[in-house]
Amino acid sequence: MRWIWIDAFTEFVPKERATAVKNVTLAEEYLHDHFPGYPVLPPSLMIEGMAQTAGILVGEAADFREKVILAKIRVASFDDYPVPGDQVAYQAEIEHIDEAAASINGTILRNGHKIGTVSLMFSHADQATVDLGLPEHNFVFNDQFMDLLNTYRIKAAAKPA
Amino acid sequence: MALSREDIFSRVKEVMVEALGVDDDEVTESATLSGDLGAESIDYLDIVFRLERDFSIKIPRGELFPDEVLNNPEYVDNGKLTDVGLKKLQEAMPHADLSGFASDPDVARMPEFFTVGTIVNYVERKLAA
């Protein structure tokens, strides 16, 4: 299994906002344990989905030069669980970004209806005043993440004006 | 109309409650951010972002929390700020009362001198500028 919790971007406005969707399917192993007979997408994975959506948005703002690390979950509140067959949308908006960090506000939709709010902070790891001992290369934005954004860009470019 | 110190404190208190998840009665002017309110390093950035938004001010990096002085080996000897370092810190933090720190400028003690009141002082000066 790959650690990627969004399927596609449907909107990407650099330095401002992005929306990514995930289709929940019973083919995903963990749903059979969460919970047996009552499969629901765990809130922790919705936070991860928002972090991946927003993390790419924040990373792109600095042309992927920074190692963008999820540093703080400011708010995470959910009113409902997505189930197999549902489409989840992660809408992320940059609230603040500077050389050291970024904050985003996010809304989670289930089949178009709001079910959650997540606000996150990301740190630009290389700007930390303490040496975190991280590798030199940018391990955050791997090919899977870059492919997601590239696919969106190709689709957007192919769309008739 | 200029905000009174009381108004500023009230808004700073809201910022602390939201950023640190503390109860509002814990947020007094003398409460230290790290020791009393449990702030960690990322929380300091969160607080800066929220102060900028709520007071419509710009806080340049290192102005409210001048960690660059404390982390600069040029100003630190054996874990203590040198005389030059202490002077730099006092210049960088006119919003903080560092009188108790000067007698034993152990860098590890610095968080004891960073209180909610320090932030209120900073915002007050910033709005008056």
Side-chain angles (χ1 to χ4, degrees):
Chain A
M1 192 166 123
R2 304 293 175 100
W3 191 252
I4 186 146
W5 295 97
I6 50 180
D7 294 338
F9 279 103
T10 56
E11 182 190 36
F12 199 98
V13 182
K15 300 179 176 58
E16 280 186 31
R17 63 181 188 275
T19 301
V21 293
K22 170 181 174 54
N23 294 307
V24 183
T25 159
L26 265 183
E28 296 174 58
E29 284 289 329
Y30 66 95
L31 285 173
H32 297 269
D33 298 313
H34 190 278
F35 301 94
Y38 185 67
V40 294
L41 183 63
S44 54
L45 291 181
M46 288 192 268
I47 295 171
E48 179 63 25
M50 183 62 77
Q52 294 188 354
T53 305
I56 294 170
L57 178 65
V58 169
E60 197 275 345
D63 208 16
F64 299 106
R65 287 186 304 273
E66 301 289 351
K67 299 183 183 97
V68 176
I69 305 290
L70 176 61
K72 179 174 178 178
I73 300 168
R74 291 162 124 187
V75 173
S77 136
F78 304 93
D79 302 322
D80 204 355
Y81 291 107
V83 299
D86 285 343
Q87 185 176 74
V88 181
Y90 299 106
Q91 298 176 331
E93 253 186 54
I94 291 181
E95 179 193 57
H96 189 118
I97 187 163
D98 66 19
E99 71 274 17
S103 61
I104 70 96
N105 293 319
T107 302
I108 300 179
L109 310 177
R110 169 194 180 190
N111 302 330
H113 299 285
K114 182 178 172 183
I115 60 160
T117 302
V118 173
S119 176
L120 304 173
M121 283 200 71
F122 295 92
S123 169
H124 290 154
D126 289 339
Q127 305 296 334
T129 45
V130 179
D131 181 9
L132 300 173
L134 296 173
E136 277 292 308
H137 72 281
N138 198 331
F139 57 90
V140 178
F141 297 108
N142 59 31
D143 288 348
Q144 290 175 59
F145 289 131
M146 299 312 289
D147 286 348
L148 270 177
L149 186 56
N150 290 336
T151 303
Y152 170 80
R153 282 171 167 161
I154 290 165
K155 276 191 187 167
K159 220 184 240 179
Chain B
M1 199 176 77
L3 290 174
S4 67
R5 185 174 176 87
E6 202 176 313
D7 293 334
I8 294 170
F9 172 66
S10 168
R11 289 204 203 173
V12 167
K13 182 189 272 200
E14 276 177 43
V15 165
M16 296 299 145
V17 168
E18 286 174 12
L20 304 174
V22 292
D23 292 333
D24 60 357
D25 60 358
E26 292 178 76
V27 186
T28 61
E29 287 226 23
S30 61
T32 59
L33 267 66
S34 300
D36 296 328
L37 303 180
E40 296 180 13
S41 58
I42 190 68
D43 296 322
Y44 285 82
L45 280 172
D46 192 4
I47 289 165
V48 165
F49 286 3
R50 289 173 192 269
L51 291 172
E52 287 190 330
R53 184 192 61 196
D54 291 3
F55 290 99
S56 302
I57 54 176
K58 182 80 196 127
I59 303 177
R61 190 177 183 185
E63 193 175 88
L64 176 57
F65 309 112
D67 48 3
E68 278 146 36
V69 176
L70 298 167
N71 290 316
N72 188 336
E74 217 178 295
Y75 302 136
V76 181
D77 181 31
N78 245 343
K80 296 194 181 209
L81 275 186
T82 60
D83 289 346
V84 178
L86 189 59
K87 194 161 171 282
K88 280 269 172 206
L89 188 67
Q90 282 164 334
E91 283 167 8
M93 291 186 82
H95 47 285
D97 176 6
L98 297 173
S99 49
F101 181 66
S103 58
D104 177 16
D106 187 331
V107 171
R109 289 177 68 229
M110 188 56 209
E112 295 168 28
F113 296 87
F114 208 97
T115 64
V116 173
T118 311
I119 294 181
V120 176
N121 293 343
Y122 175 83
V123 173
E124 201 173 27
R125 295 172 72 100
K126 195 84 182 167
L127 292 176

